[in-house]
Amino acid sequence: MKRQTVEKTLVPLQPHARAKSHYQERLVKWNPYSMKNLALCYEFRTGREEETLDLIPDACPDFMFRISGRPTAVLMGVQSAPCSLRLEPEAVYFGFKPYSVKGMRELSAGWAELLNARVALGEQLDCGRLLERMVHAPDFSERIRVMCAFAEAELADNAYTPDFVEYSELRLCNARGNLRVEDIASYTGYSGRYCRERFKESYGLSIKRYSNIIRFQNAMRMLADKRVEDLSDIVFENGYFDQPHLSREFKLYSGDSPLHYRQSVLKMA
């Protein structure tokens, strides 16, 4: 198999996080053993009142830290449906979101077991010193440095060799989710059944669901783009059968309709 690279770097979208106060984000390269070696670091602050954070599927796990008040660290596995987090008031939250679980060490629980799960990070690995350093880091840039150093030392799997699951991920991302299992099987040389089984073993998520999430994320980008004027363009570009198909899947993954989401985003722009 030829080595694949992502043609264009796409940031996983979390609109409700981006709407939080003092939000900032930065892409970093962190895993020298993986082809999908990027992670999104982000940070925001909460106000005086208790808040919630609505999250949508983006095919990435998420390490989230509350680094003020009573420090905590949680790990969220890949999410296949919308979920909501309760946030503490007057707190700083920092997140580290790797683009793939491939090339990462298995924790106390396997990555497939962590699908749709939210667990204390300390239950999965020793992170006491990490949390302490994150708390004492003076700014976002230093927290990124601390997190990346920890991730490369403790999360990256130096025994990992890129496998066909990761090649499949790259192909799916390059195709914006519009790739049949048969095409993946033909490219990798494995049977469709074997591809489905191995992918699900790695993620706990089927290839089809992973593809649909990638496609949904791309539809969100297009809906937020003022230059895209017609929903039919989004339907055609992302391989939906028709507008009702787009609406059903969009609501499944976001809890919102495409038109209402577009109106909300353009109003904030």
Side-chain angles (χ1 to χ4, degrees):
M1 292 184 290
K2 295 180 181 178
R3 187 177 180 88
Q4 290 282 307
T5 56
V6 178
E7 295 173 356
K8 182 180 179 182
T9 300
L10 298 176
V11 175
L13 293 179
Q14 291 293 341
H16 297 284
R18 287 183 167 188
K20 293 295 184 185
S21 176
H22 296 84
Y23 180 84
Q24 52 187 323
E25 64 180 34
R26 189 182 305 168
L27 274 178
V28 295
K29 288 185 178 180
W30 74 278
N31 191 338
Y33 311 109
S34 171
M35 294 184 297
K36 292 191 74 175
N37 60 4
L38 295 174
L40 178 70
C41 295
Y42 64 92
E43 184 173 292
F44 61 84
R45 300 181 182 219
T46 55
R48 294 182 178 180
E49 303 297 327
E50 185 176 290
E51 301 177 20
T52 59
L53 175 62
D54 295 325
L55 298 172
I56 56 175
D58 59 18
C60 302
D62 198 347
F63 297 76
M64 183 180 282
F65 301 82
R66 185 174 69 233
I67 51 178
S68 60
R70 189 180 62 209
T72 60
V74 298
L75 169 61
M76 289 177 284
V78 173
Q79 303 293 307
S80 64
C83 66
S84 184
L85 298 179
R86 185 177 64 84
L87 304 177
E88 295 293 328
E90 298 186 312
V92 176
Y93 284 85
F94 175 92
F96 176 78
K97 188 184 286 287
Y99 274 31
S100 176
V101 302
K102 302 302 293 182
M104 294 176 65
R105 294 175 181 169
E106 291 285 337
L107 305 181
S108 296
W111 290 109
E113 296 176 63
L114 291 169
L115 176 69
N116 292 324
R118 187 187 313 158
V119 297
L121 185 58
E123 296 175 0
Q124 301 298 313
L125 76 169
D126 184 2
C127 64
R129 291 287 302 278
L130 169 64
L131 191 55
E132 181 181 346
R133 289 171 179 168
M134 295 287 277
V135 169
H136 288 98
D139 54 32
F140 182 50
S141 293
E142 181 62 13
R143 282 187 277 276
I144 291 173
R145 190 196 68 77
V146 169
M147 184 66 216
C148 286
F150 176 86
E152 185 170 343
E154 303 296 334
L155 295 176
D157 182 1
N158 60 9
Y160 173 73
T161 301
D163 62 12
F164 92 91
V165 173
E166 189 173 11
Y167 281 98
S168 300
E169 285 183 77
L170 286 168
R171 297 274 291 181
L172 286 165
C173 290
N174 283 338
R176 305 295 189 265
N178 289 298
L179 199 64
R180 300 177 307 163
V181 174
E182 291 76 11
D183 296 325
I184 294 174
S186 176
Y187 177 78
T188 61
Y190 296 104
S191 70
R193 179 178 178 179
Y194 183 79
C195 289
R196 291 185 185 93
E197 290 175 349
R198 287 296 307 278
F199 198 97
K200 193 161 188 177
E201 284 175 10
S202 295
Y203 270 93
L205 194 69
S206 69
I207 290 180
K208 181 175 177 59
R209 182 56 66 92
Y210 183 93
S211 301
N212 288 347
I213 291 171
I214 298 299
R215 179 169 65 178
F216 156 72
Q217 283 271 322
N218 197 54
M220 288 186 69
R221 292 184 188 92
M222 294 186 70
L223 283 163
D225 189 340
K226 293 180 180 179
R227 296 168 297 179
V228 180
E229 298 180 352
D230 196 328
L231 273 184
S232 61
D233 294 335
I234 299 172
V235 170
F236 177 78
E237 178 75 19
N238 293 286
Y240 293 105
F241 299 129
D242 49 28
Q243 287 192 24
H245 184 205
L246 165 65
S247 295
R248 284 195 304 273
E249 283 211 357
F250 198 89
K251 192 162 188 178
L252 174 68
Y253 293 122
S254 72
D256 202 356
S257 71
L259 284 176
H260 186 265
Y261 168 75
R262 180 178 175 83
Q263 291 167 357
S264 301
V265 171
L266 294 183
K267 189 182 295 183
M268 290 188 295

